[in-house]
Amino acid sequence: MSHQTPLGTSLPPANCLDLWREKNDQLVRQVKVAQDSRLPLRRQQLAQDALEGLRELLHCLQGLPAAVPVLPLELTVICNLITLRASLAQGFIEDQAQDIQWGLERVLETQEQLGPRLEHGLTGLWNSILHVSSTLLELLPVLHHLAGLQVALWLSTDCLGDLTLLLQTLNGSQSGASEDLLILLKTWSPPAKESDAPLTLQDARGLRDVLLTAAAFRQGLQELVTGSLPRALSSLHEAASGLCSRPVLVQVYTALGTCLRKMGNPQRALLYLVAALKGGSNWGPPLLEASRLFRQLGNTVAELESLELLVETLSVTPSSEVPHLLIEVELLLPRPDPASPLHCGTQSHVKHLLASRCLQKGRAEDAAEHYLDLLALLLDGSEPKKFSPPPCPPGPSMPELFLEAAAALIQAGRAQDALTVCEELLSRTSSLLPKMPWLWEDARKGTKESPHCPPWVSATYLLQGQAWVQLGAQKEAISEFSRCLELLFQATPKDKEQGPASNCEQWCSSNVALQQLRAAALISRGLEWVASGQDARALQDFLLSVQVCPGNRDASFHLLKTLRRLNRRDEATALWRRLEAQTKLPQENATWSLPLYLETCLSWIHPPDRETLLEEFRTSLPEPCDL
């Protein structure tokens, strides 16, 4: 078959073409030697030398007018260059799209069809190339190889629309053909190259298998995040059966464990997580998912053990396997974001999760030690500016960690240590104290001042008061509770019209949280008045706590007990009737959550004898009231 070449062009001598082809083959063999080398520096040097050699060879080939007999070698060199660059850089870069575009333009030059198609970018070039490829049969294998690299680049950058159109064209699909990416990749059958073709680092069919696995895994992760669990399970099974390295298989098994857990099949999920832990050294994601699974099953011991192992794992630098000098699945996967089951955060994130779960499950001593370790980890070399709340972290701000640590220490009976933690927090926020009366108003007006400081400081005084209660220092406790209340009643709740708050600002901008904090301080001070025999003062605090937080039943019960002690039977009976009526109403699930330290504080002021008190009123009701 004869081919057209532009007028005035001349083919290079056959011996030059043979020399260039031999140079390509020699460089490919050099890369394979580098791959087998166990010496990292030698491996890197051989690969870099080969990369430079491929660049020089491509420069020589593209210095000549485009000609069909030379294009199989030229396009092969482009494929080898892109493959090696991507593997060394562990990802695709924009320059590689330009390499592909240049190769396609060279093909069109031989057909005198370049012209206006440049305006349509890579998609237009591919349509043009594949339209004329039937007349360029000897170029088909290398064109499919180049198309595979284009698919890899588009897959890694989420250009799924262009990718789908290219695969449909490669498969010869007409309009109305399947748009399912996995079906298109399975249908695509790159033609085999000739036995005497120039050597390649990776053939098109091997690349197709990598693409299929990567696409299945990416699709499964996306479906898992969006809640399409049956589809995610199918996609992840497809990925697990594909061409996976051990690290990728660990990730796939972890995602399968997550999917099965969410589908209500914990036993199968556990099998995949065990397989993930046996399959590689990256234990972080499977251990975190195992902790979630055990939490769902109610196995607190196993949950906390998983988190402790995860903290140890993240404290050690993982040993990474030497990547192959090829396009691998790892290069085509997105970085795990916080919504991904493969994201396990940092050691400090996991340490906080472990500490908070210990506190929630009543393991106060363990929680206190974990919180102290966490603060030491975070404060190592830190500066005061780090106390500004982060933009949108998936967790508490730094001051909230201090408050949780103080609450855990009080819960563990270490009141003096809790005071030390509170003093440290106050010293780090002292520069903000003069601004406090205006801080919440500034927040409502949208200024840049942080609305976090008043709740931080108010809550710190609340915890200091509780620590003094534990130490038996009643005067100091009442003083701290009063300082807390003074600040709290300066704070202005956030307007509803401002919209939903971010995670890190939710508690301080929520009217419910502010009400509960006020109620906790009032009840705490009231209990100290009761302990000192000043029921009249206690009554004032309990009455005010009921007014500022009507939904806090603990405040009502403390008020009821005080009214009874003061022999105010009519008021006590009326309040008892309201409480009795409330107990018969269905309990609504709260749609909001409180900070952990505030929940802990509220647990300390929870009256243990609520049912007994109600029963006593129930039996004494017939008796006449003393007026």
Side-chain angles (χ1 to χ4, degrees):
M1 178 183 295
S2 61
H3 302 283
Q4 295 179 340
T5 57
L7 296 176
T9 63
S10 59
L11 297 176
N15 58 342
C16 285
L17 193 57
D18 290 341
L19 287 173
W20 288 334
R21 172 178 165 164
E22 179 54 37
K23 180 65 174 177
N24 170 79
D25 293 355
Q26 179 263 322
L27 291 170
V28 170
R29 286 190 287 267
Q30 180 176 324
V31 173
K32 293 182 177 179
V33 170
Q35 178 61 56
D36 296 335
S37 175
R38 296 186 177 181
L39 302 173
L41 290 178
R42 173 172 169 75
R43 180 181 184 276
Q44 185 71 13
Q45 188 60 54
L46 285 172
Q48 289 291 347
D49 290 346
L51 184 64
E52 190 58 36
L54 288 169
R55 283 199 185 100
E56 293 175 359
L57 178 55
L58 184 60
H59 182 71
C60 291
L61 290 167
Q62 293 184 337
L64 297 172
V68 171
V70 184
L71 279 175
L73 175 59
E74 183 177 328
L75 297 179
T76 298
V77 173
I78 291 176
C79 291
N80 288 334
L81 181 63
I82 292 173
T83 299
L84 187 54
R85 285 184 70 193
S87 62
L88 289 174
Q90 286 297 286
F92 286 92
I93 56 178
E94 187 176 347
D95 288 353
Q96 288 154 339
Q98 297 174 357
D99 291 337
I100 294 174
Q101 179 170 327
W102 183 252
L104 298 179
E105 290 172 3
R106 297 276 285 176
V107 175
L108 287 179
E109 282 180 26
T110 65
Q111 305 302 300
E112 298 179 344
Q113 293 189 20
L114 191 53
R117 287 177 175 80
L118 278 175
E119 300 174 2
H120 301 288
L122 278 169
T123 304
L125 283 172
W126 275 113
N127 286 336
S128 301
I129 291 291
L130 296 174
H131 179 71
V132 301
S133 62
S134 58
T135 64
L136 301 169
L137 295 180
E138 62 268 54
L139 290 183
L140 271 181
V142 70
L143 281 174
H144 274 254
H145 190 174
L146 192 62
L149 292 169
Q150 180 71 78
V151 170
L153 194 153
W154 277 339
L155 181 63
S156 67
T157 54
D158 276 325
C159 297
L160 301 185
D162 292 337
L163 187 159
T164 300
L165 290 174
L166 177 56
L167 286 172
Q168 288 174 338
T169 308
L170 287 171
N171 293 335
S173 305
Q174 304 299 319
S175 60
S178 173
E179 295 185 358
D180 187 294
L181 183 56
L182 302 187
I183 292 177
L184 290 171
L185 282 168
K186 289 178 181 179
T187 306
W188 177 37
S189 180
K193 63 181 183 178
E194 299 292 335
S195 58
D196 59 347
L199 293 181
T200 56
L201 288 172
Q202 185 173 22
D203 62 61
R205 294 187 176 184
L207 179 58
R208 189 274 313 271
D209 294 340
V210 168
L211 293 169
L212 179 57
T213 301
F217 193 17
R218 289 176 69 105
Q219 186 169 301
L221 288 175
Q222 182 62 35
E223 290 162 344
L224 185 54
V225 170
T226 58
S228 303
L229 298 182
R231 291 173 61 87
L233 188 65
S234 175
S235 299
L236 292 170
H237 276 307
E238 180 72 45
S241 64
L243 193 63
C244 285
S245 62
R246 284 196 306 169
V248 171
L249 197 57
V250 168
Q251 295 182 53
V252 175
Y253 283 164
T254 302
L256 279 166
T258 303
C259 187
L260 288 165
R261 172 179 64 82
K262 290 184 175 182
M263 294 179 75
N265 199 331
Q267 299 306 321
R268 284 185 64 199
L270 189 57
L271 290 176
Y272 276 109
L273 294 177
V274 170
L277 291 169
K278 290 180 178 179
S281 58
N282 184 17
W283 292 351
L287 280 173
L288 183 57
E289 179 53 35
S291 73
R292 295 185 184 119
L293 176 63
F294 289 129
R295 181 175 181 175
Q296 183 173 307
L297 293 173
N299 190 338
T300 302
V301 174
E303 176 197 352
L304 297 180
E305 285 178 354
S306 299
L307 291 174
E308 288 172 353
L309 284 173
L310 180 52
V311 171
E312 293 179 16
T313 298
L314 294 176
S315 67
V316 179
T317 303
S319 58
S320 57
E321 296 188 5
V322 178
H324 293 285
L325 297 173
L326 302 169
I327 304 298
E328 295 186 288
V329 175
E330 289 91 328
L331 302 188
L332 307 176
L333 299 179
R335 290 184 178 274
D337 58 39
S340 169
L342 305 180
H343 178 81
C344 62
T346 63
Q347 185 184 8
S348 60
H349 291 144
V350 178
K351 191 74 171 176
H352 172 254
L353 179 58
L354 174 59
S356 62
R357 289 297 294 155
C358 285
L359 183 55
Q360 289 169 335
K361 289 299 179 180
R363 301 190 173 201
E365 293 82 3
D366 292 338
E369 290 301 326
H370 290 313
Y371 272 115
L372 292 177
D373 290 346
L374 175 61
L375 290 179
L377 180 67
L378 292 174
L379 294 177
D380 184 20
S382 67
E383 299 177 5
K385 65 182 181 181
K386 289 193 176 182
F387 279 78
S388 298
C392 52
S397 62
M398 193 67 171
E400 289 175 309
L401 293 181
F402 270 83
L403 296 173
E404 289 179 16
L409 288 165
I410 295 171
Q411 187 82 356
R414 298 170 61 177
Q416 196 61 57
D417 290 336
L419 287 173
T420 302
V421 169
C422 290
E423 288 167 4
E424 177 69 14
L425 176 56
L426 287 175
S427 70
R428 289 174 177 268
T429 56
S430 60
S431 62
L432 297 174
L433 291 179
K435 303 177 184 179
M436 281 185 185
W438 301 278
L439 227 59
W440 279 73
E441 189 63 31
D442 288 341
R444 296 177 67 202
K445 294 176 181 177
T447 60
K448 294 183 179 179
E449 295 290 351
S450 166
H452 289 245
C453 191
W456 296 344
V457 182
S458 301
T460 306
Y461 289 141
L462 174 62
L463 287 167
Q464 285 188 147
Q466 291 293 352
W468 286 119
V469 169
Q470 194 174 91
L471 292 171
Q474 195 173 84
K475 181 179 178 181
E476 289 81 357
I478 290 175
S479 175
E480 297 295 339
F481 293 142
S482 298
R483 295 172 75 183
C484 169
L485 288 166
E486 181 182 354
L487 285 174
L488 281 174
F489 282 101
Q490 291 174 353
T492 305
K494 198 169 186 178
D495 293 335
K496 293 181 180 179
E497 290 78 16
Q498 288 183 292
S502 63
N503 289 337
C504 65
E505 297 178 342
Q506 184 176 8
W507 77 270
C508 71
S509 62
S510 166
N511 291 346
V512 174
L514 183 60
Q515 289 172 356
Q516 293 288 349
L517 191 54
R518 286 171 173 169
L522 285 166
I523 294 172
S524 298
R525 190 173 68 175
L527 290 174
E528 289 309 293
W529 293 132
V530 170
S532 63
Q534 301 184 60
D535 282 339
R537 286 190 168 185
L539 182 63
Q540 293 177 352
D541 280 345
F542 294 146
L543 279 170
L544 188 54
S545 66
V546 170
Q547 292 171 11
V548 300
C549 190
N552 190 312
R553 287 171 58 81
D554 289 345
S556 298
F557 275 95
H558 286 299
L559 176 59
L560 179 62
K561 292 173 69 174
T562 306
L563 289 170
R564 185 183 184 188
R565 278 196 308 274
L566 292 172
N567 203 27
R568 297 169 66 161
R569 297 293 300 272
D570 289 347
E571 295 168 81
T573 301
L575 178 58
W576 169 77
R577 292 187 188 280
R578 289 200 299 271
L579 289 172
E580 278 280 273
Q582 289 175 5
T583 58
K584 297 175 182 178
L585 296 175
Q587 296 295 313
E588 297 182 2
N589 293 326
T591 57
W592 39 264
S593 60
L594 296 174
L596 178 57
Y597 66 82
L598 182 52
E599 288 182 348
T600 307
C601 284
L602 290 171
S603 71
W604 298 331
I605 56 178
H606 180 72
D609 55 348
R610 293 189 351 177
E611 292 304 319
T612 302
L613 184 61
L614 289 176
E615 183 59 32
E616 288 176 358
F617 265 88
R618 203 174 288 123
T619 56
S620 65
L621 186 60
E623 298 179 8
C625 297
D626 296 331
L627 297 178

